[in-house]
Amino acid sequence: MRVDNRKVVIVGCGFVGMSYAYAMVNQGVCDELVLIDIDKKRAEGEAMDLNHGMAFAPTHMKIKAGDYGDCKDADIVMIAAGVGQKPGESRIALLGRNAKIFEGIVSETIKAGFEGIFLVATNPVDIMTNVVIKLSGFPKHRVIGSGTTLDTARLRFVLGQYFGIDPRNVHAYVIGEHGDSEFVPWSQAQLSTKSIKSVCREHPERFSFEEVRRLGEDVKHAAYKIIEAKRATYYGIGMSLTRITKAIFGDEHSVLTVSAYLRGEYGISGVCIGIPCIIGRKGIVENLCLELETEEIEKLRSSCDFLVDTARQLDIGTVKS
Ligand code: NAD
């Protein structure tokens, strides 16, 4: 009998790491969950707290506070270590501090013999994904950033509300940097199989494309609003990371807007950015190339340029394909 043990290690047991852990436990996504934090006591307390809910969990799961040795036979190492955004602080401003932290985390993980998939949540997530590729030397398909998965979920939610349609039937993406230069390629946005632009054109008495566009802009600012109100965002990202993990363990080949390394798609190479990708057991199975309009390709390019410039300014650089 072959017994699979789906093992996930979380590095960084703050709001994001523990929201992910909580969603993972409640959805029964893995068999073993290991918590690592620079604050060992915190990781121990979190493991105890989660374990006390096991009597009500959908499936059995081994949960413990651990160390980097636990990465050896892990399938996924999810990194949410770092410092959170302060009110008004841009994600890019976090870069220098978080890149330094990652040097230690990635080298310890590799030293343990880890051969699985890195899942990165720490901001600025696209650059941190590139940093992990660079530090680990892993094949690019085994390093996945959360990218615009959360932003896309937010977009589908608000469009679902506006059109009175289940968000699961709203097919629209936020792509680009997980940050201020992200955008919605409206040429690709559909309700069921009908384009959102056509729906607005055909029902001017009920829907306005201008209003739809404004909703897209609001999504971009959602994180700032939440941080202003409650200092951090975590449930949505915890569920997004869980969704990516499910797609990996289930070899689902689901399309999710993760941060992936571009190799010439849209004429861009050498940078990680949020685009729709097919996700399965091996990580990123394929970057799905959308038929973007010229203006949308320009927006994606300038979003990439912004990331490359920022990484360069901070002397982090990007990786070559
Ligand atoms: P937090 O401060 O609550 O948690 C960070 C944790 O990392 C802390 O427990 C801290 O002790 C730990 N840590 C720090 N240095 C460490 C190290 N060297 N090794 C191990 N652990 C270490 O922060 P948070 O709110 O959980 O946010 C974490 C990161 O996630 C931030 O960078 C934040 O901006 C980002 N984030 C990303 C998204 C997204 O969509 N990708 C959404 C929300 C937040």
Side-chain angles (χ1 to χ4, degrees):
M1 187 176 67
R2 188 171 156 243
V3 182
D4 277 333
N5 183 55
R6 298 162 301 170
K7 181 174 180 181
V8 175
V9 173
I10 298 177
V11 183
C13 300
F15 286 121
V16 172
M18 292 319 296
S19 297
Y20 171 63
Y22 191 59
M24 292 282 287
V25 170
N26 279 296
Q27 295 182 39
V29 181
C30 64
D31 304 293
E32 204 177 340
L33 196 58
V34 179
L35 309 181
I36 299 178
D37 198 283
I38 198 163
D39 180 349
K40 278 194 175 163
K41 213 165 171 186
R42 177 177 197 165
E44 279 163 13
E46 293 289 6
M48 273 177 82
D49 201 0
L50 280 181
N51 271 324
H52 294 166
M54 280 316 295
F56 314 115
T59 56
H60 177 71
M61 196 182 280
K62 274 203 256 175
I63 305 170
K64 66 165 193 178
D67 54 40
Y68 286 98
D70 285 295
C71 298
K72 184 176 167 44
D73 59 347
D75 299 287
I76 295 174
V77 170
M78 196 289 282
I79 313 180
V83 278
Q85 252 169 305
K86 294 176 188 151
E89 186 182 30
S90 79
R91 294 186 180 104
I92 294 294
L94 293 173
L95 177 57
R97 285 186 286 160
N98 286 337
K100 200 83 210 130
I101 288 173
F102 269 41
E103 278 177 23
I105 293 171
V106 174
S107 73
E108 289 296 321
T109 305
I110 301 295
K111 219 190 290 168
F114 177 60
E115 287 181 349
I117 294 169
F118 276 110
L119 183 54
V120 184
T122 302
N123 275 323
V125 71
D126 303 290
I127 296 180
M128 299 316 294
T129 305
N130 229 326
V131 165
V132 173
I133 291 177
K134 196 174 169 186
L135 293 171
S136 66
F138 270 26
K140 280 102 179 163
H141 66 273
R142 277 171 46 207
V143 182
I144 307 177
S146 56
T148 46
T149 318
L150 172 59
D151 317 69
T152 295
R154 284 175 178 149
L155 178 72
R156 293 171 73 195
F157 170 73
V158 295
L159 292 180
Q161 275 198 321
Y162 182 71
F163 288 105
I165 279 192
D166 185 335
R168 288 171 298 186
N169 298 120
V170 177
H171 303 291
Y173 300 124
V174 175
I175 63 171
E177 171 213 2
H178 171 59
D180 298 341
S181 65
E182 68 186 27
F183 67 99
V184 182
W186 290 110
S187 69
Q188 308 296 311
Q190 300 189 322
L191 298 183
S192 176
T193 57
K194 195 165 171 104
S195 100
I196 282 181
K197 280 186 182 173
S198 315
V199 172
C200 292
R201 227 179 1 251
E202 288 170 21
H203 301 282
E205 72 297 346
R206 289 164 64 200
F207 306 122
S208 135
F209 186 58
E210 272 320 296
E211 180 61 13
V212 167
R213 262 226 265 253
R214 198 189 56 73
L215 291 173
E217 282 300 303
D218 285 354
V219 163
K220 200 151 89 172
H221 306 302
Y224 292 114
K225 265 194 175 164
I226 299 172
I227 289 166
E228 204 179 295
K230 52 173 261 188
R231 305 187 69 81
T233 82
Y234 35 92
Y235 300 130
I237 183 62
M239 291 176 78
S240 304
L241 292 161
T242 302
R243 178 70 193 90
I244 298 169
T245 306
K246 270 172 108 167
I248 294 169
F249 281 137
D251 197 21
E252 288 179 12
H253 287 219
S254 294
V255 176
L256 294 163
T257 48
V258 295
S259 188
Y261 185 84
L262 296 188
R263 302 165 188 271
E265 296 88 347
Y266 315 100
I268 307 163
S269 295
V271 60
C272 291
I273 200 155
I275 51 158
C277 291
I278 300 169
I279 305 295
R281 192 67 182 84
K282 292 185 174 152
I284 298 174
V285 178
E286 197 179 322
N287 296 354
L288 197 67
C289 219
L290 302 173
E291 284 188 15
L292 297 179
E293 291 178 348
T294 312
E295 186 199 340
E296 293 166 345
I297 293 175
E298 275 316 310
K299 279 190 183 166
L300 188 61
R301 285 213 180 113
S302 67
S303 195
C304 285
D305 288 347
F306 172 71
L307 289 170
V308 171
D309 286 349
T310 310
R312 200 178 288 137
Q313 273 170 41
L314 287 144
D315 204 22
I316 282 169
T318 50
V319 273
K320 296 268 173 291
S321 43

